[in-house]
Each structure stands twice: as C-alpha cells, then as structure tokens.
Amino acid sequence: MALYEYVTKEQLAGFDRYKYSAVDTNPLSVYVMHPFWNFLVKFLPTWLAPNLITFTGFMFLVLNFLMLAFYDFDFTASSAGNQHVSSWVWVAAGIFNFLAYTLDGVDGKQARRTNSSTPLGELFDHGLDSWACIFFVATVYSIFGRGESGVGVVTLYYILWVVLFSFILSHWEKYNTGILFLPWGYDISQATISFVYLVTAVVGVETWYQPVIFNLLYRDLFTFMIIGCSFTVTLPMSLYNVLKAYRSNTLKHSSLYEAFLPFLSPVLLFVLSTAWVVFSPSKILELQPRIYCLMVGTAFANVTCKLIVCQMSNTRCEPLTWLLLPMAVVVGGAITRVFTNETLLLYLWTAAVILTHIHYGISVVKQLSDHFSIYAFSLKKPSRD
C-alpha cells in the first residue's frame, strides 16, 4: 500500500494509455547536447536505473543550494566589503550544476537503452525539475548578492516567479495539446550558469561590479535575459500553441475555461506569498530571503506536480491545491500580527511544506511503482510471491 493514494483509479488508467510526445527545436540541445549525451550514455552500466540517474542529478542541485547556504546564507557575501565566497566553491558549483544538467539529459536515454521507459520515469524527472527551479535560482543569486552592485531580494523574488511560471507554462501547454514543447531557455540557461560559476571562480565576484557597457551592470543583463526570454519567447509560444489547438479543435479540454483552469492554484499561491511579502510587519523577505524563496519554490513544485499527474493521465486538473488553505491561514496570521514571531512562523511553515511535498512525492512514486510492478530505483522486477 502507498503511504497515501494521491493518484486516483481514473488517473492510473490514464497512465496505462500514456505515450510520451515532445518537441525539442533548440539548436544547442539538438546539435550539441544530445550528441554529447548519446556518447556519454554508452559508458553507463546497463543495470543502472534511469530514476537513480535523475535523482542523483537533482541532489547535485540540492548540494549546490546547501553549499551556498552555508557560505552565503543571507546573500551578502558577494557585496563589496564582505568576506567573499572562496573560489573553490564556485568551481564546485559549476561542476555540480553541469553534472545535474548532464544527468537530466542522460536519464531518458538510459531508459530507452535499457528498455525501461515508463510513465513513472517521466513523472519523476519532471516532478524533480519543478522543485529544482528554486535551487538553481537561489544559488545563482549568490554570484551578485544583495549589495549595491547586486539585486534586491524583492527583485529576486519576482525573478523566481518568472522562472516558476516559465516552467509551468510548458506543462500547461502539454495539458492542453498533448505535446511537451521543450523551452529553449532551459538548455541555454543551464550551460550559461555553469560557465558563469567557473568564470566567477577565476575572475572573482568583483568583476561583476563593473558595468558591461555605459551604466548597464551584469546584474541588469542577467535580469533582462531571464525576463526577456520568458515574455518574448516562452509565454507567446505557449499561448500560440494552445490557441492554435483551440482553433483547430484539437484542444484536449472542452473550453478555454477548462484550458486555463490549471493556472488558478499557481496564481493563488503567487497572491498569498506576495501578500506576505508586501504586508509583512517585520519585512520577512528582507530578514529571511533564502528560506522564504525555498518555501515558495517548494509549494509551487507541489502545485506543479499535481498538474503533471493530470496532464500525463489525461484527467481534469483540480482547481485548488489543498496546501493553499493552511497557507492562507499562515499568511493571514502573519500580516495581522496574530503570530508575532514571523521568522519562527516561516521556518515552521517551510518545514511543513517540505515534509508535505516529500510525503506526496514518495506516495505517488510508491503508488505508480506498485501499479506498474516495478522498482523506482532498480531495474530488477519485484517478486510476485
């Protein structure tokens, strides 16, 4: 038995009929990374489970997050006059990020190579990707920090939301069209981030204090690239593909209302978390930016994973994720001063969100493993005794 049956019988039946369909047109991915991954996968042992590769890559991102949290918990280490992070940390961050990116590209190839592709593998991969957003965004932020030449934590918060919505757009697209259009921004950003970590190790964070041209700082270029890519490429293409499906009567759902329903929970999460930021009596985001963003990113991953389950099983997305109900109570208690110690409240709520999401993930993986009679982290078949 699973810890809790989050996947319904209807969804399990939908997983039985599921077939993976994706489109990847990014030149970096098609002409550089895929050939590289095809070369690497030949060296992996055939007994190595694809999900174990996926999880190892994800843990490299978690390790990066924890490493920078140790050396730069409040994002001030890169500011002028402060003790900077050692060069070896940036080297490690660059290597770990590239390893995570590489393993994320190799896992699917290993699944096809070992004839072990299952819907669980795709769900596991994309579910961890949804959580990984917060880990790489927060880690990259340490390069610039909060100083005069850095980025304010409020700006970081909104950049995080741009990244989160860019991620969910792809799965909303697939929820409506049945096809996963892989965004160009992911491959470009991962390669760039790994390179920037290594450059920082060589030239030092002081290099980023200088303007690129005129008064344009590197932080401004970084922010412009993230927001510009999201609003000029990712969002227009997602809307175009969904509206195209609607006009050609190939939309998987009955109306535009049903098509846009998956956005309700993410938007409510954005409203609740932003309300806490704006009306916080103690300016909680300024006090605890790392923990606050971790809480938001984890809650978002929980919302997104439930959309991915519905998208893959071809079932209707539930309008409201139950996690938002206690969060509304927490936010209300914070901004009305019912809970006077906001930092303690944030830590307790973050722990609750992380444990809830881990419980959800383990339960779903266990449930699908039992349904398909497979092990999540091994290619061996379970005994039928």
Side-chain angles (χ1 to χ4, degrees):
M1 289 292 291
L3 295 176
Y4 185 85
E5 293 189 350
Y6 286 101
V7 184
T8 66
K9 291 182 179 179
E10 180 188 4
Q11 289 173 332
L12 290 174
F15 275 110
D16 287 333
R17 299 186 295 270
Y18 177 76
K19 292 186 182 299
Y20 180 63
S21 178
V23 175
D24 189 356
T25 59
N26 183 0
L28 174 62
S29 176
V30 173
Y31 298 111
V32 179
M33 299 313 302
H34 278 292
F36 175 61
W37 296 331
N38 286 330
F39 170 76
L40 280 184
V41 75
K42 297 174 184 177
F43 296 95
L44 297 179
T46 54
W47 53 260
L48 185 59
N51 287 342
L52 191 57
I53 297 173
T54 305
F55 186 71
T56 302
F58 172 75
M59 290 309 296
F60 275 121
L61 294 178
V62 175
L63 179 59
N64 261 358
F65 178 83
L66 294 176
M67 181 172 64
L68 266 299
F70 180 80
Y71 287 102
D72 183 27
F73 183 77
D74 55 359
F75 302 112
T76 58
S78 292
S79 304
N82 288 348
Q83 179 67 43
H84 297 328
V85 172
S86 299
S87 295
W88 73 263
V89 175
W90 297 122
V91 172
I95 293 172
F96 292 160
N97 193 83
F98 187 76
L99 285 173
Y101 174 43
T102 300
L103 293 175
D104 190 40
V106 166
D107 55 5
K109 298 183 184 298
Q110 175 75 346
R112 289 183 286 275
R113 177 173 174 246
T114 56
N115 196 29
S116 58
S117 298
T118 65
L120 172 59
E122 183 185 341
L123 176 62
F124 191 74
D125 187 358
H126 294 159
L128 289 181
D129 285 345
S130 69
W131 202 3
C133 291
I134 173 55
F135 297 121
F136 77 76
V137 169
T139 306
V140 169
Y141 181 57
S142 282
I143 293 175
F144 303 99
R146 306 168 65 173
E148 186 176 335
S149 61
V151 180
V153 290
V154 174
T155 302
L156 164 69
Y157 170 77
Y158 289 115
I159 288 175
L160 172 62
W161 268 109
V162 169
V163 172
L164 296 179
F165 269 114
S166 295
F167 180 88
I168 204 172
L169 273 173
S170 296
H171 293 281
W172 170 73
E173 219 175 329
K174 190 180 180 188
Y175 175 78
N176 285 291
T177 66
I179 301 172
L180 181 63
F181 295 90
L182 297 171
W184 283 28
Y186 174 72
D187 292 281
I188 295 172
S189 66
Q190 290 305 303
T192 302
I193 287 169
S194 298
F195 177 73
V196 169
Y197 283 142
L198 297 178
V199 170
T200 303
V202 175
V203 302
V205 295
E206 295 89 352
T207 300
W208 310 124
Y209 297 168
Q210 307 302 319
V212 184
I213 184 172
F214 300 117
N215 292 321
L216 181 68
L217 297 176
Y218 283 99
R219 64 164 187 205
D220 303 318
L221 181 63
F222 179 73
T223 302
F224 176 78
M225 287 176 60
I226 293 177
I227 298 176
C229 183
S230 297
F231 285 96
T232 62
V233 179
T234 307
L235 178 59
M237 286 304 299
S238 293
L239 291 174
Y240 170 77
N241 289 326
V242 171
L243 291 175
K244 181 181 177 182
Y246 175 70
R247 289 169 182 165
S248 61
N249 292 320
T250 58
L251 195 70
K252 294 177 70 67
H253 300 279
S254 58
S255 65
L256 284 179
Y257 167 77
E258 290 292 331
F260 282 88
L261 192 62
F263 281 131
L264 180 58
S265 284
V267 168
L268 286 176
L269 175 60
F270 173 75
V271 170
L272 286 172
S273 60
T274 304
W276 195 353
V277 169
V278 173
F279 299 108
S280 168
S282 64
K283 304 298 180 186
I284 191 64
L285 185 61
E286 296 287 342
L287 286 176
Q288 296 290 338
R290 185 177 292 274
I291 301 302
Y292 195 87
C293 288
L294 175 61
M295 179 273 292
V296 170
T298 306
F300 175 86
N302 189 256
V303 170
T304 305
C305 284
K306 292 174 181 177
L307 169 60
I308 295 173
V309 168
C310 294
Q311 160 239 300
M312 292 183 64
S313 61
N314 196 27
T315 53
R316 183 176 186 264
C317 180
E318 291 296 322
L320 185 65
T321 300
W322 75 264
L323 185 65
L324 299 178
L325 297 177
M327 183 170 177
V329 175
V330 169
V331 173
I335 63 180
T336 58
R337 301 177 187 269
V338 172
F339 301 105
T340 54
N341 191 333
E342 279 191 271
T343 297
L344 177 60
L345 177 63
L346 173 63
Y347 273 74
L348 291 174
W349 176 239
T350 301
V353 171
I354 291 173
L355 291 174
T356 297
H357 187 53
I358 291 175
H359 179 271
Y360 172 79
I362 292 174
S363 297
V364 170
V365 168
K366 179 67 167 61
Q367 203 173 344
L368 288 177
S369 296
D370 292 344
H371 178 74
F372 289 111
S373 297
I374 58 175
Y375 290 120
F377 296 111
S378 172
L379 296 181
K380 294 178 180 180
K381 297 294 182 182
S383 172
R384 296 185 178 276
D385 295 338

